Amino acid sequence: MPIIGILKESEGENRVAALPEITAQLVKMGFDVMVENGAGESAFASDEDYKSQGAKTADKDAVLSSSDVVLKINSFTKDQISKLKSGTVVLAILQPFFNTEIVYHLLDRNITGFSLETIPRTTRAQSMDVLSSQATVAGYKAVLLAASNLPKFFPMFMTAAGSITPAKVLILGAGVAGLQAISTARRLGGVVEAFDTRSAVKEEVQSLGAKFVEVEGAKDEASAGGYAVEQAEEFKQKQRQVIHDHAVKSNVIITTAQIPGRKAPVLITKETVAAMKNGSVIVDLAASTGGNCELTKNNETVISGGVKIIGNSNLPSTVPFDASKMFGKNVLNFLKLFLNEGKINLNFEDDLVKGTCITHNKEIVNQKLKELISGNQK
Ligand code: NAD
């Protein structure tokens, strides 16, 4: 029977790719499941919990060398790949566009690599989209982090000790994380405004009870598949001014603006930070791709002129139980595309299988990656 392996993440990552409830489903689908000792510990799933759902536990090397399919959240090391059997299928957020080395290691060992963050963003793929589920967690946690760092309340209070005005919250980027941040900030009683270059999100923003900040003249291309595109310089300047005017009135700013494959746009300059209220908090969810605030430092908290700028780029790891639960469900839904009745059947006619696969049979499957790597070699 094919073995599905679940690896422990490296130090500092609390999530696990599949909780015991997913193990149970894989066993029901006719597979053996082997979990690395302690893999779920930081997500509050013990080895005993996995065993009670039909899995075996083993050390890392045994999982790597025996599994036919290996699940992980973050990418693999060269050493881990070198221990896999030829032909093994691996699934993780491999980030091959930022880490081309991984592609060579996979090719070298004849590993079929699925890079979960590259799944096409179609309606059928929604239940398999790890970027969306983890962005939901990040958007929620960003607001809680801001609230606990803010020297004032989020909600309005009318008390015998006087009236408290509600926190003003500005959300930049109303994608999956931004929309979740709006909902969470509203639930906490904040007064919320949001800005995005895609005018299509205006109604969604308003339906969540936030005001949509508009800057006219944004390029919003249908060909970008719902994603944002790089904007013209004139628009960027207009946008900076509008954001500046709203930022200086805000107590909290959550920034989530990203452009796939590019550095994140700078939306908050150091001049804007200098003009913000003392005690304000910025949580920058784009920190790992350069940040939306000019002063953001990835995985650090910077204080500038009394404004706290939090650049924690792995917030999903701080909600490890539910983030793992959602990640595992996404992975299970994806696995169902090619795991059936105890057999592995990769069907490259399926756009989701093909669109997520980066290497197979010692060849690069993803066309954009092929172009990037052949360009690098020239
Ligand atoms: P993302 O993380 O790539 O970007 C976050 C947001 O930042 C986006 O809304 C983007 O428009 C915005 N942004 C980029 N540059 C900006 C700028 N200069 N100023 C202000 N905002 C800026 O986006 P995402 O959350 O991953 O989602 C992007 C799109 O994909 C959305 O339309 C979403 O609904 C869609 N989506 C579809 C599926 C699916 O169908 N399977 C799944 C997830 C998301």
Side-chain angles (χ1 to χ4, degrees):
M1 227 188 281
I3 299 176
I4 301 184
I6 300 169
L7 279 189
K8 185 172 166 63
E9 300 296 316
S10 50
E11 198 60 33
E13 174 59 77
N14 298 318
R15 294 170 295 170
V16 61
L19 286 171
E21 62 204 38
I22 300 296
T23 311
Q25 302 250 2
L26 292 169
V27 169
K28 237 190 248 163
M29 284 161 65
F31 296 90
D32 281 336
V33 180
M34 197 185 262
V35 182
E36 182 180 342
N37 296 324
E41 234 162 46
S42 308
F44 303 91
S46 67
D47 288 354
E48 290 312 312
D49 294 334
Y50 280 106
K51 284 187 207 158
S52 74
Q53 298 302 326
K56 294 189 184 76
T57 54
D59 65 26
K60 189 183 287 294
D61 284 358
V63 176
L64 286 165
S65 61
S66 330
S67 302
D68 301 282
V69 177
V70 181
L71 312 180
K72 209 169 168 285
I73 294 184
N74 299 306
S75 196
F76 293 78
T77 62
K78 182 182 179 188
D79 181 56
Q80 288 167 348
I81 293 173
S82 72
K83 290 178 177 149
L84 297 168
K85 294 187 289 194
S86 170
T88 301
V89 176
V90 301
L91 293 89
I93 299 176
L94 297 172
Q95 304 268 23
F97 292 94
F98 298 103
N99 172 18
T100 44
E101 284 295 299
I102 185 88
V103 183
Y104 296 112
H105 301 323
L106 296 172
L107 291 174
D108 193 43
R109 298 281 307 133
N110 185 24
I111 305 300
T112 298
F114 285 99
S115 199
L116 295 168
E117 77 286 9
T118 63
I119 194 163
R121 291 191 125 176
T122 57
T123 306
R124 189 165 71 99
Q126 265 174 2
S127 65
M128 310 165 198
D129 190 331
V130 298
L131 285 187
S132 291
S133 69
Q134 304 306 295
T136 301
V137 182
Y140 160 83
K141 194 61 193 280
V143 175
L144 298 192
L145 200 57
S148 61
N149 277 281
L150 196 67
K152 69 178 261 83
F153 284 121
F154 251 61
M156 180 177 80
F157 282 128
M158 307 279 267
T159 78
S163 306
I164 303 286
T165 54
K168 288 196 174 133
V169 183
L170 176 64
I171 314 277
L172 300 179
V176 181
L179 292 172
Q180 185 54 46
I182 295 173
S183 308
T184 309
R186 289 283 300 139
R187 278 186 214 123
L188 282 180
V191 173
V192 187
E193 297 183 316
F195 167 70
D196 198 297
T197 44
R198 293 181 302 119
S199 52
V201 292
K202 181 177 175 177
E203 275 179 29
E204 271 178 280
V205 166
Q206 289 173 336
S207 73
L208 293 172
K211 187 177 155 218
F212 189 65
V213 176
E214 296 198 58
V215 182
E216 296 201 340
K219 221 182 344 166
D220 189 2
E221 282 176 18
S223 60
Y227 283 117
V229 291
E230 187 78 34
Q231 299 293 329
E233 198 43 48
E234 191 192 80
F235 174 82
K236 283 190 197 165
Q237 287 199 1
K238 218 185 322 172
Q239 168 184 280
R240 260 182 220 136
Q241 188 56 50
V242 173
I243 289 173
H244 177 93
D245 296 344
H246 287 262
V248 297
K249 290 186 222 143
S250 305
N251 304 106
V252 168
I253 305 182
I254 312 284
T255 73
T256 74
Q258 313 244 24
I259 304 170
R262 313 278 292 255
K263 190 181 168 303
V266 172
L267 304 176
I268 301 183
T269 59
K270 48 182 187 305
E271 290 76 21
T272 298
V273 174
M276 283 173 67
K277 287 187 214 215
N278 200 355
S280 307
V281 178
I282 300 174
V283 180
D284 193 339
L285 291 184
S288 68
T289 52
N292 293 138
C293 172
E294 212 176 341
L295 299 176
T296 298
K297 289 216 169 95
N298 192 25
N299 286 327
E300 282 184 36
T301 295
V302 174
I303 300 177
S304 176
V307 178
K308 225 181 221 186
I309 304 151
I310 302 172
N312 184 337
S313 55
N314 193 6
L315 288 180
S317 171
T318 67
V319 192
F321 181 73
D322 279 333
S324 302
K325 194 178 168 85
M326 293 165 93
F327 191 97
K329 188 75 186 176
N330 291 147
V331 171
L332 177 68
N333 288 333
F334 183 71
L335 286 171
K336 283 181 179 165
L337 297 176
F338 59 86
L339 297 187
N340 205 344
E341 294 179 1
K343 293 204 176 64
I344 304 170
N345 256 322
L346 292 171
N347 170 16
F348 286 95
E349 301 288 304
D350 186 314
D351 63 321
L352 301 185
V353 174
K354 183 151 188 248
T356 313
C357 188
I358 60 164
T359 56
H360 181 60
N361 275 344
K362 293 201 161 206
E363 281 187 24
I364 299 177
V365 177
N366 183 296
Q367 190 55 33
K368 275 196 190 145
L369 190 61
K370 217 185 261 182
E371 287 161 18
L372 175 80
I373 290 200
S374 65
N376 285 352
Q377 285 166 344
K378 275 179 198 156

